[in-house]
Amino acid sequence: MRWISGRRSSNIEDRRGIRLSRGVKGGGIGMLLLVIVAMYFGVDPSIVFQQGSEMDGGSSTQTIPVQPSAADNELADFVSVVLADTEDTWKILFKQMGRTYEEPNLVLFSGMVESACGYAQAAVGPFYCPRDRKVYIDLSFYRDLKNKMNAPGDFAQAYVIAHEVGHHAQKLLGISDKVNAMRSRLSQKEYNNLSVKMELQADCFSGIWAHHAQKMRNILEPGDVEEALNAASMIGDDHLQKQSRGYVAPDSFTHGTSAQRVRWFNHGFQTGNINSCNTFKAQNL
C-alpha cells in the first residue's frame, strides 16, 4: 500500500501512556469467553459487558511515560494516514448525498481503555463506540492479525480501520440507531441476524473506501486487495468458531461467514456505490 506520502489525520488520541486498572465482579471464565467471541471487529463493546458481567466501582488510572518502539511509531503513523484517507473519501461521498461527514476520533491505547461504551481490554480487538463516535485500537492487535490470524500485510491493517470507520458511517446515516432500537423486540437469534447484516455492510463500506481511495489517490500495490480479502476470510464467524471450539453454530453468528465477509468487501470495492451495500434488503448474503 502506498501510504508514506499520505496526509496525517489530526483526529488521533494517543492514550498509550495511560494505564487503567479496573476490577471485575461476576466475570471469570464466562466473561473471557464472551470477549473471545466478540474480539474481532465488534460494533459496541458495551454489549459484551452487559451480557457478561459488570465492572465494579474500584478503578485506578496511572500515566506512564511511553517510549514506543520504532515499529509501533511506524504503525501509529500508518493508522493516522489511513484514518485521514477515510476522512477524505467519506467527506466526498457524504457531500454527494447532500450530507456532511463528521470525522471520528481514533484512540490508540494499550491494555485497557475507557470509552463511552464502557471499559474494554485489548482482547476485545478494534471497536467503534457509537456513544462517543470514536474508533479504538490497541496496536498489538496488528501483531495478532499477522501471527495468530494469519492475515499479514499493510492493506489488511488498513481494512481493519476502514471497517470500523464503516460503522461510524452507519451511525451518521442513522442505520445503527435503527438496528439498536429493535434489539428489545427481537429474539437473540433475530438480533444476531441483524448484527451480521450490520457487519457485512461495514465490510462493504470498507470496500467502497478502497475503491475510491484507489481511484482518487492510487494507493494500491499488487497483492493489496488479496491481503484485505484474506483478512476478511480469517475473521468470519465460521472460521473463528471452528478454530476456537471445533465446530460452528450458525445461529450464534454476529459478523458473517468468511465467504460473506469476502463477498461484501469485494462488492463494495467493485461497485464503489453506497446504495449497493444494502445488506438488510439483500436476498442472498
Side-chain angles (χ1 to χ4, degrees):
M1 177 179 172
R2 302 181 184 92
W3 67 271
I4 296 295
S5 61
R7 180 178 71 83
R8 273 64 178 169
S9 174
S10 61
N11 295 310
I12 299 289
E13 293 182 31
D14 194 342
R15 301 188 199 170
R16 287 178 292 171
I18 300 176
R19 294 293 185 269
L20 299 179
S21 176
R22 191 166 176 86
V24 180
K25 61 181 180 182
I29 298 300
M31 179 60 180
L32 290 176
L33 290 175
L34 281 171
V35 170
I36 290 172
V37 170
M39 69 184 295
Y40 293 105
F41 300 87
V43 180
D44 184 346
S46 64
I47 295 173
V48 178
F49 294 125
Q50 288 166 4
Q51 292 179 347
S53 64
E54 296 179 353
M55 308 302 281
D56 69 18
S59 65
S60 63
T61 301
Q62 183 179 12
T63 301
I64 302 175
V66 175
Q67 294 181 327
S69 66
D72 277 351
N73 280 334
E74 183 176 5
L75 268 180
D77 193 36
F78 172 78
V79 168
S80 179
V81 171
V82 175
L83 182 64
D85 205 284
T86 64
E87 292 165 355
D88 295 341
T89 299
W90 283 106
K91 278 182 181 177
I92 293 174
L93 295 177
F94 267 59
K95 186 176 181 180
Q96 291 173 351
M97 293 185 289
R99 296 172 175 263
T100 300
Y101 182 69
E102 301 171 19
E103 299 174 358
N105 278 17
L106 188 148
V107 179
L108 299 175
F109 71 96
S110 297
M112 180 179 285
V113 69
E114 180 181 9
S115 74
C117 297
Y119 286 81
Q121 295 182 339
V124 175
F127 65 89
Y128 173 70
C129 176
R131 297 178 186 176
D132 58 19
R133 302 187 179 190
K134 294 181 180 181
V135 173
Y136 293 81
I137 184 170
D138 185 323
L139 294 177
S140 66
F141 170 78
Y142 284 140
R143 288 190 288 272
D144 292 340
L145 189 67
K146 176 182 178 180
N147 299 323
K148 296 181 181 180
M149 303 304 299
N150 195 30
D154 53 8
F155 200 68
Q157 296 168 351
Y159 158 68
V160 171
I161 300 168
H163 175 95
E164 300 306 335
V165 172
H167 285 310
H168 179 62
Q170 289 174 320
K171 172 67 176 177
L172 297 181
L173 294 171
I175 297 169
S176 56
D177 287 342
K178 290 180 180 178
V179 171
N180 290 333
M182 300 176 65
R183 184 175 181 83
S184 62
R185 305 196 300 269
L186 300 175
S187 67
Q188 190 61 52
K189 178 180 177 180
E190 290 170 331
Y191 187 77
N192 286 348
N193 185 49
L194 275 184
S195 177
V196 166
K197 293 177 179 179
M198 278 274 290
E199 294 295 331
L200 295 180
Q201 186 178 63
D203 281 331
C204 190
F205 281 180
S206 64
I208 284 178
W209 160 73
H211 172 98
H212 290 281
Q214 172 63 7
K215 184 177 180 180
M216 294 184 286
R217 292 176 288 279
N218 192 33
I219 66 169
L220 297 181
E221 294 178 311
D224 279 347
V225 173
E226 288 75 14
E227 288 177 3
L229 294 176
N230 177 56
S233 69
M234 290 296 103
I235 46 95
D237 281 324
D238 52 344
H239 182 78
L240 289 175
Q241 288 187 0
K242 189 67 180 293
Q243 278 193 324
S244 64
R245 61 174 75 165
Y247 64 93
V248 298
D251 286 349
S252 68
F253 287 176
T254 58
H255 291 64
T257 67
S258 294
Q260 288 170 335
R261 301 199 73 163
V262 167
R263 182 184 310 128
W264 282 100
F265 172 86
N266 202 38
H267 186 68
F269 180 70
Q270 295 296 328
T271 66
N273 185 348
I274 293 178
N275 293 327
S276 72
C277 291
N278 192 344
T279 55
F280 298 93
K281 291 187 176 180
Q283 293 183 347
N284 180 19
L285 291 178

